Amino acid sequence: MNRYLDVDCSKLTIADVGRTVRIAGWVHKKRDMGGIIFIDLRDHYGMTQAVFAPGTEAAEIVESARSEWVLSVRGEVVARDEANRNPNLSTGDIELKALEVEVLGKSDVLPMQVATDEDISETVRLKYRFLDLRRTNPHRNIILRSQIISSLRRRMTELGFHEFQTPILTSSSPEGARDYLVPSRVHPGKFYALPQAPQQFKQLLMVSGFPRYFQIAPCFRDEDARADRSPGEFYQLDMEMAFVEQEDVFEVIENVLHGVYTEFSDRKVTEPPFPRLTYAESMSRYGSDKPDLRIPLEIVDVTEQVSGTEFKVFRGAIDSGGVVRAIAVDGIASRSRKFFDGLTSFIQGEGGKGVAYVLFPEGEEPKGSAAKFLSESELEFLASMTSPGGGVLFLSGPEKEAVRFAGRLREEVGSQLDMIEQGTFKFCWIADYPMYEADEETGAIEFSHNPFSMPQGGLEALENKDPLDILAYQYDIVCNGVELSSGAIRNHRPEIMYKAFEIAGYSREEVDERFRGMIQAFKFGAPPHGGLAPGVDRIVMQLADEPNIREVIAFPMTAKAEDLLMNAPAPVTDVQLDELCININVPEDEQS
RNA sequence: GGGGCGGUAGCUCAAUUGGUUUAGAGUACCGGCCUGUCACGCCGGUGGUUGCGGGUUCGAGUCCCGUCCGCCUCGCCA
């Protein structure tokens, strides 16, 4: 085939016996028996055992070879004796009797072993990522990512979408995360920004008359990392459609996600149409706008039912305008005191006060921290929420807090009691987000999500309704408690745009200044349009069943946004800085 | 920026309450032996600023303070 190899390391079988072929790859393991030498040669495709007979020139060369050397071996394919076959290897029925070997690349002593399953510290893995990626799991994850992205592209194209590229060097946009900035040499003192998302570009493409846009889009946001959030950069399946309403977007994305999740996993995937929840409904039933529907627990508002209670904890909450939220859990009555104390500690760790509870053990009196303070009728009602042997957990306080803590408690109890349904991907839409929210400290009205979303009710709603009551055509798609994407039907009407921004405190001039390109475009005939942008890394993470996003990124950065392999970020030369008219002014206590 | 956990041979880990440990083991590496292994085996050897700096103590891998790095998390993520 060429001078290095004829076939890859996975292909040779009993049918090839007698052929003389070349294979090339890495020394996975070498077993030197003193005379005969065995080498497992590994490449991307598989592994083949090469045998070196004592006294041959090839054996002499290979004697000094070590793990991860790169060899090309020419040899004769021979069948192994019955007793010497290796059933763990696809090529285990044969071996390559070496006639000739060429060393293509030597290896220093390895900083980490490749041919091992043992855990290796992430620092070492990231510093020597090229070695790490040779290992089975990391290698497989990156290939899976490639296949998923191919599949996404194919599915989008088949649905009539066209793929576009949009600028990487663009301008800083207000709102949102901190930008990554790139200094301009031609315009000293001015900066490009890397796009946080191609949001405005894709909307401009709609105005340009392209009805179905998509892109596997790199997005750059200078925000801190999480297990499911890589710092700096990530990828979205960015898509946008013209002349559509919310349901049209839902239908397309359900098709694509159901397809890709079914293609790449054996789990049960929610059949389209995915459940639709309003934001308000999701918050009240699950205490979260990204509910994990695999947990069969729901939050119930029992404020009214216990409004006459003497129980001090509830009394205090209700009298100061708060609420009492309850989660009924079957079979929980037999749990130890320690279990419930643990739940209280958990909620305290989240910033709450604690968890009250009442239990209904079968054939016994109700017990639990709240039991003796509740009236007969109150207990009767609560008992009806669960079955004998069950119990009810309570969180009380100001509504916003009670809702949030109840949501966290729901997840914690679900997880501790192994109630999370395994082997499924449960999707849902969260729609009807509020257009605005009040800043917690200042009370100022600000956009709660994307400022480019169309307010429900249009201009009329903006002019006549309390801003905090206005909903937007704004939606999220959630899978197993992970937010995959936000999206919206966009506001394509300049007059509605100006009004929407005015409510959030931006003048017409500011809007013109900050979104010049887009607002101008909308004045020259813009179609109604909308879309969303599921996070590719998170999709791959779920399909690879990895708990950490770095496992599906070939060259990830650390939580502190450093690339340990490429040594980024790094200082640059004074010449480079001079050319950009930049003076570095790092405070002394931050120098390292 | 706050909180939590961690950092001991190249790698993965151990080391009782602060003390007979010359800081050990496996693996890797080096040397010797071995012609059918597939985690080859056997014998021997090299390899340590216990992240770094300071402190307490007769004595610190172990306790205290600071600092750096890694992970998780809160803030942050239109």
Side-chain angles (χ1 to χ4, degrees):
Chain A
M1 192 193 269
N2 67 25
R3 68 167 283 208
Y4 301 117
L5 53 77
D6 301 308
V7 291
D8 70 57
C9 292
S10 72
K11 291 287 189 303
L12 297 173
T13 68
I14 207 85
D16 297 296
V17 168
R19 287 178 67 197
T20 297
V21 297
R22 272 170 303 194
I23 59 173
W26 286 262
V27 175
H28 190 71
K29 281 279 179 186
K30 186 181 98 174
R31 291 175 294 278
D32 184 343
M33 314 307 292
I36 194 167
I37 298 171
F38 299 96
I39 283 182
D40 294 332
L41 207 63
R42 180 200 73 234
D43 68 5
H44 169 75
Y45 304 95
M47 197 131 69
T48 300
Q49 173 168 281
V51 198
F52 297 79
T56 60
E57 194 188 337
E60 220 165 278
I61 292 171
V62 107
E63 205 176 339
S64 64
R66 290 291 172 265
S67 288
E68 300 307 313
W69 283 33
V70 182
L71 307 178
S72 174
V73 180
R74 192 173 68 87
E76 187 193 344
V77 182
V78 297
R80 297 203 204 180
D81 290 346
E82 182 81 39
N84 290 332
R85 292 187 186 152
N86 186 344
N88 302 319
L89 222 53
S90 71
T91 59
D93 288 344
I94 58 92
E95 60 195 3
L96 194 67
K97 196 172 145 195
L99 300 168
E100 197 183 348
V101 63
E102 186 181 356
V103 177
L104 302 177
K106 297 187 175 184
S107 170
D108 285 350
V109 175
L110 294 164
M112 58 176 279
Q113 282 167 255
V114 173
T116 178
D117 289 329
E118 77 180 351
D119 288 339
I120 295 167
S121 79
E122 269 212 84
T123 314
V124 175
R125 292 181 57 200
L126 292 179
K127 197 165 170 188
Y128 300 96
R129 190 63 163 177
F130 49 91
L131 290 177
D132 189 39
L133 291 177
R134 285 182 200 167
R135 305 199 305 151
T136 314
N137 263 317
H139 201 85
R140 191 198 299 136
N141 283 345
I142 299 304
I143 291 302
L144 177 67
R145 181 188 177 104
S146 166
Q147 290 167 336
I148 289 169
I149 288 174
S150 293
S151 176
L152 290 172
R153 283 207 161 95
R154 177 174 59 76
R155 289 169 191 281
M156 294 303 286
T157 305
E158 280 171 3
L159 289 168
F161 286 80
H162 291 104
E163 184 168 8
F164 293 75
Q165 285 77 49
T166 52
I168 299 299
L169 294 175
T170 180
S171 59
S172 176
S173 65
E175 308 274 337
R178 281 181 289 265
D179 285 312
Y180 276 99
L181 299 175
V182 179
S184 164
R185 173 185 58 83
V186 182
H187 302 280
K190 291 187 177 176
F191 293 82
Y192 302 95
L194 306 183
Q196 297 192 17
Q199 182 66 37
Q200 294 188 57
F201 290 113
K202 72 173 173 180
Q203 295 194 238
L204 287 167
L205 287 167
M206 293 296 108
V207 182
S208 306
F210 301 104
R212 293 193 162 202
Y213 149 99
F214 88 98
Q215 176 177 197
I216 306 295
C219 302
F220 304 90
R221 295 177 193 174
D222 184 2
E223 292 302 330
D224 289 337
R226 288 291 182 277
D228 64 353
R229 201 166 81 204
S230 194
E233 55 189 81
F234 62 96
Y235 285 81
Q236 292 180 335
L237 169 61
D238 195 33
M239 64 87 85
E240 196 79 4
M241 307 163 74
F243 304 111
V244 290
E245 295 186 288
Q246 193 164 288
E247 280 297 324
D248 301 306
V249 177
F250 285 10
E251 197 181 315
V252 165
I253 272 310
E254 283 172 348
N255 180 329
V256 170
L257 289 183
H258 177 268
V260 88
Y261 272 69
T262 306
E263 180 181 352
F264 290 100
S265 88
D266 299 327
R267 297 202 206 178
K268 191 162 162 268
V269 182
T270 308
E271 289 294 329
F274 298 162
R276 282 113 166 95
L277 296 163
T278 68
Y279 172 80
E281 194 182 357
S282 182
M283 291 309 288
S284 82
R285 285 170 64 187
Y286 304 109
S288 165
D289 64 352
K290 43 178 183 176
D292 190 340
L293 297 184
R294 294 174 303 169
I295 303 172
L297 296 174
E298 286 201 25
I299 299 163
V300 177
D301 187 358
V302 296
T303 312
E304 203 173 305
Q305 285 79 2
V306 299
S307 58
T309 190
E310 299 301 314
F311 185 28
K312 252 193 334 198
V313 177
F314 293 175
R315 192 72 268 147
I318 294 170
D319 288 347
S320 49
V323 299
V324 181
R325 292 290 160 98
I327 304 175
V329 189
D330 287 341
I332 204 179
S334 56
R335 289 278 155 177
S336 65
R337 172 68 187 265
K338 192 177 160 195
F339 171 79
F340 295 99
D341 287 348
L343 295 182
T344 282
S345 313
F346 171 77
I347 287 302
Q348 286 170 345
E350 296 288 312
K353 290 207 178 70
V355 179
Y357 59 99
V358 56
L359 306 174
F360 302 101
E362 228 162 332
E364 290 175 39
E365 288 301 299
K367 59 179 192 179
S369 64
K372 61 182 165 188
F373 304 108
L374 293 168
S375 73
E376 197 80 3
S377 63
E378 286 161 350
L379 286 169
E380 203 170 302
F381 166 75
L382 294 166
S384 75
M385 291 174 63
T386 179
S387 51
V392 181
L393 308 170
F394 303 99
L395 282 149
S396 56
E399 178 164 357
K400 221 171 165 181
E401 280 182 25
V403 162
R404 185 164 68 85
F405 295 141
R408 297 294 291 122
L409 185 67
R410 173 178 174 273
E411 291 166 8
E412 181 67 14
V413 170
S415 147
Q416 279 200 33
L417 300 185
D418 286 327
M419 299 173 90
I420 302 175
E421 189 181 334
Q422 298 299 300
T424 63
F425 286 115
K426 290 207 164 175
F427 282 93
C428 64
W429 292 99
I430 311 296
D432 300 342
Y433 273 81
M435 183 82 185
Y436 300 101
E437 62 189 12
D439 184 284
E440 279 188 30
E441 282 164 23
T442 65
I445 300 291
E446 48 189 40
F447 290 109
S448 70
H449 261 65
N450 189 321
F452 306 132
S453 302
M454 181 66 95
Q456 294 185 20
L459 193 57
E460 206 230 307
L462 294 181
E463 281 171 342
N464 300 317
K465 290 179 86 168
D466 178 345
L468 295 178
D469 289 338
I470 300 171
L471 300 177
Y473 288 111
Q474 164 86 42
Y475 40 82
D476 277 10
I477 188 163
V478 173
C479 177
N480 288 2
V482 173
E483 180 197 315
L484 289 182
S485 174
S486 286
I489 297 301
R490 320 298 174 184
N491 184 346
H492 70 288
R493 306 268 296 272
E495 71 277 15
I496 304 180
M497 181 92 82
Y498 284 127
K499 184 66 189 173
F501 273 94
E502 183 192 315
I503 290 170
Y506 296 88
S507 70
R508 181 172 279 255
E509 290 69 32
E510 278 176 289
V511 175
D512 283 338
E513 169 67 25
R514 293 177 164 189
F515 308 108
R516 188 184 315 161
M518 207 168 67
I519 193 88
Q520 179 175 260
F522 289 169
K523 291 176 183 173
F524 290 92
H529 60 282
L532 79 173
V536 170
D537 311 80
R538 283 184 184 172
I539 290 173
V540 180
M541 191 176 156
Q542 289 198 318
L543 291 172
D545 200 17
E546 289 287 357
N548 192 290
I549 205 158
R550 286 181 301 278
E551 299 298 336
V552 298
I553 298 174
F555 299 103
M557 294 203 283
T558 67
K560 275 198 159 180
E562 282 189 284
D563 182 329
L564 300 179
L565 175 57
M566 301 303 284
N567 192 29
V572 297
T573 65
D574 288 342
V575 175
Q576 288 172 294
L577 290 174
D578 286 347
E579 204 165 37
L580 297 166
C581 304
I582 287 178
N583 286 315
I584 301 294
N585 181 23
V586 183
E588 222 158 275
D589 59 356
E590 297 211 7
Q591 287 173 11
S592 53

